[in-house]
Amino acid sequence: MSSTWNDAPGGFHPVSAPDYLPRAQLEALQLGRLQAIVRRAYQRVPLFRERMEARRLGPDSLRALPDLGALPFTVKADLRDTYPFGLFASPMEEVVRLHASSGTTGKPIVVAYTEADLQVWTSVMVRAFAACGLHRGDVIQNAYGYGLFTGGLGAHYGAEALGATVIPISGGNTERQLMVLQDFGVTAICCTPSYMVHLVERARESGIGLGKLAVGVFGAEPWSEGMRRHIQDAAGIRAHDIYGLSEIVGPGVGIECLHRDGLHLFEDHFYPEIVDPETGAVLPDGSEGELVLTTLSKQAMPMIRYRTRDVTAILPEPCRCGRTLRRIRRIGRRADDMFIIRGVNVFPSQVEAALLQAEGTLPHYQIVLTRAHGLDEMEVQVEVTGALFSDRIGGLEALQAKIADAVEHVVGLRVKIHLAAPHTLPRSEGKARRVVDRRDP
Ligand code: DLL
């Protein structure tokens, strides 16, 4: 593997060659893989075969890529209903790894990988890191959680295969993270954006510098452009957005290149569609809707038309980086993270965007939903800077009103704003919990 990286087309890293395939070649590759994976799922996964037969479709029904639109969807409940191994398409002797993702309730969902699946996963993670400008010689602190969560091991093997030095520190223990960051000459970090905010804040308070840190690869939860600006300014780094989900592979489904204008999908392994979240109808490129993904090469657990619930749009225009892989817009919200307050639909991402506009706030916030006398209330709790908090009361009141105005402007609802002292809201080592719903079911 070469020791230099050039993001220009033609000057690409050998491992990234599939990123630059001419579209016609890529689509031919996709069709061949799609036909094979549909056949595999039909022959080996009873649930999928039953659904195909109910639609009078057979294993050879796919003649062209758009024919995929006629196939049945797979949803999260299918994984729960067949818990733990009901959707596996490989015998256990060929399954070399299991991961699991805990839902909000009950049993987790279980995902499986063959040796070949792990190789594909590693290869897309190598391409993801390369797209962030990382290469051999980089020292990558991997603060995604190791274990059943896919973030830790997914990023780990990708970074190792890239030829970088990996520090498998996992999540948590902020003091140790900061010591390692400085002492080991770390050049790149992987963690959730909310944990990065926490790390940077602690570093600043303890008077610890961030050494050689130059790049962050952040994902596993939605984060806004405002959050990116905050992280980049506070840490003096370049922040990339990485997307993925356990059901499809884990991290490495999509990544922002150096231009950071949408996430390139590794379309040679994951086939995207955008559908109307209500009707399931396939929408044209450019329209906002729910991302549906089909795995093109996954052996142990092929996913055909998996409804991610993540809302985005496919950006069909070519990217300045020269990759032919199409991009999706950053995922700001899920189709199911909306809540309704007094008849108004609210998304947490709207609240984050409004909060980060106000000077004096810190990107630590929580939305608390309560119900009193049958009426729903929403309170936004946000930390403010120490300087402002110790300021005279007038400053706080003015800020409170300003935030209430900003939230009202984007959400269309006047809500309570609680200004919290620094360090009083809970911190997360992994995915942040933004909404606390205290309403009775
Ligand atoms: O979060 C995999 C991952 C690990 C991705 C590390 C990136 C980095 P799950 O725990 O199964 O897998 O959660 C998947 O998290 O459907 C999205 O709703 C959300 N998500 C993941 N990445 C992003 C992102 C991992 N970059 C679910 N932006 C997905 C917004 C994201 N949401």
Side-chain angles (χ1 to χ4, degrees):
M1 219 170 271
S2 92
S3 59
T4 53
W5 163 256
N6 177 358
D7 202 51
F12 50 75
H13 198 292
V15 297
S16 301
D19 294 6
Y20 299 92
L21 280 184
R23 287 296 304 178
Q25 215 174 313
L26 175 63
E27 284 167 16
L29 178 78
Q30 286 178 317
L31 181 59
R33 288 186 174 169
L34 189 59
Q35 288 168 329
I37 209 74
V38 166
R39 200 170 306 123
R40 182 181 181 88
Y42 183 91
Q43 288 165 350
R44 299 182 178 219
V45 184
L47 180 87
F48 183 67
R49 184 169 52 246
E50 283 157 25
R51 287 187 182 166
M52 289 287 279
E53 283 169 354
R55 292 170 178 235
R56 299 181 192 289
L57 294 171
D60 299 314
S61 309
L62 265 164
R63 309 228 171 266
L65 290 173
D67 295 345
L68 182 61
L71 267 55
F73 289 121
T74 308
V75 296
K76 197 167 206 132
D78 295 330
L79 284 103
R80 292 229 171 81
D81 296 347
T82 56
Y83 173 87
F85 303 153
L87 295 185
F88 288 12
S90 296
M92 216 52 185
E93 307 84 75
E94 289 171 22
V95 171
V96 298
R97 176 100 63 82
L98 298 176
H99 278 281
S101 146
S102 49
T104 37
T105 50
K107 301 267 196 202
I109 56 141
V110 181
V111 295
Y113 305 78
T114 63
E115 185 61 48
D117 294 337
L118 289 183
Q119 279 169 17
V120 167
W121 190 10
T122 296
S123 76
V124 289
M125 279 306 298
V126 170
R127 291 160 64 188
F129 283 131
C132 299
L134 301 175
H135 45 68
R136 179 182 291 266
D138 272 301
V139 180
I140 302 181
Q141 180 157 339
N142 185 15
Y144 284 123
Y146 280 64
L148 289 178
F149 177 54
T150 53
L153 289 181
H156 179 97
Y157 285 110
E160 235 176 51
L162 179 76
T165 307
V166 192
I167 305 172
I169 193 162
S170 194
N173 199 338
T174 304
E175 303 309 320
R176 194 178 52 173
Q177 299 270 359
L178 292 174
M179 180 192 74
V180 164
L181 193 74
Q182 239 198 356
D183 295 351
F184 294 8
V186 169
T187 58
I189 188 163
C190 303
C191 61
T192 57
S194 53
Y195 189 54
M196 186 62 192
V197 169
H198 178 53
L199 272 177
V200 174
E201 180 180 71
R202 283 283 277 277
R204 177 171 291 177
E205 285 161 3
S206 321
I208 301 174
L210 299 180
K212 295 183 181 163
L213 191 67
V215 175
V217 187
F218 305 121
E221 64 186 9
W223 53 307
S224 60
E225 279 301 316
M227 189 71 98
R228 189 209 303 269
R229 270 195 301 279
H230 172 88
I231 292 175
Q232 295 197 145
D233 294 349
I237 62 169
R238 191 173 71 239
H240 290 256
D241 193 355
I242 183 165
Y243 170 72
L245 59 163
S246 321
E247 296 87 324
I248 297 302
V249 76
V253 174
I255 188 75
E256 283 180 336
C257 67
L258 293 179
H259 297 288
R260 286 164 297 146
D261 184 15
L263 289 84
H264 291 279
L265 290 179
F266 293 111
E267 288 184 277
D268 47 332
H269 294 295
F270 315 114
Y271 187 84
E273 296 168 280
I274 297 290
V275 306
D276 182 314
E278 304 301 325
T279 65
V282 178
L283 301 175
D285 279 3
S287 325
E288 183 175 276
E290 179 181 343
L291 179 65
V292 171
L293 290 169
T294 297
T295 57
L296 296 177
S297 47
K298 199 108 172 288
Q299 295 184 336
M301 206 168 139
M303 278 289 134
I304 311 292
R305 306 197 78 206
Y306 184 72
R307 304 275 304 244
T308 65
R309 309 304 282 151
D310 294 321
V311 174
T312 181
I314 291 177
L315 308 172
E317 304 80 29
C319 180
R320 283 170 289 161
C321 74
R323 282 179 182 76
T324 52
L325 303 171
R326 283 179 302 171
R327 291 163 295 157
I328 52 168
R329 202 182 293 147
R330 296 184 71 195
I331 290 162
R333 62 182 179 90
R334 289 177 57 81
D336 52 12
D337 71 357
M338 186 189 82
F339 51 87
I340 301 176
I341 297 291
R342 288 177 252 149
V344 178
N345 297 350
V346 185
F347 291 97
S349 56
Q350 295 175 304
V351 176
E352 177 174 310
L355 286 180
L356 292 183
Q357 284 166 14
E359 214 167 298
T361 58
L362 296 168
H364 296 294
Y365 69 94
Q366 226 171 25
I367 300 166
V368 182
L369 308 179
T370 50
R371 182 172 293 152
H373 313 295
L375 214 70
D376 287 346
E377 290 289 346
M378 163 177 158
E379 180 177 87
V380 178
Q381 305 180 336
V382 58
E383 286 184 13
V384 297
T385 57
L388 195 90
F389 203 77
S390 45
D391 191 10
R392 41 190 187 84
I393 298 293
L396 287 176
E397 276 175 359
L399 179 63
Q400 210 165 18
K402 197 167 147 200
I403 296 174
D405 287 346
V407 174
E408 187 175 1
H409 184 70
V410 289
V411 175
L413 201 67
R414 194 80 186 170
V415 302
K416 279 193 212 158
I417 307 292
H418 171 78
L419 299 182
H423 298 295
T424 49
L425 296 181
R427 303 291 193 260
S428 79
E429 291 169 1
K431 295 176 193 257
R433 185 171 172 222
R434 297 299 189 194
V435 182
V436 182
D437 196 343
R438 300 207 181 109
R439 297 174 296 180
D440 296 329

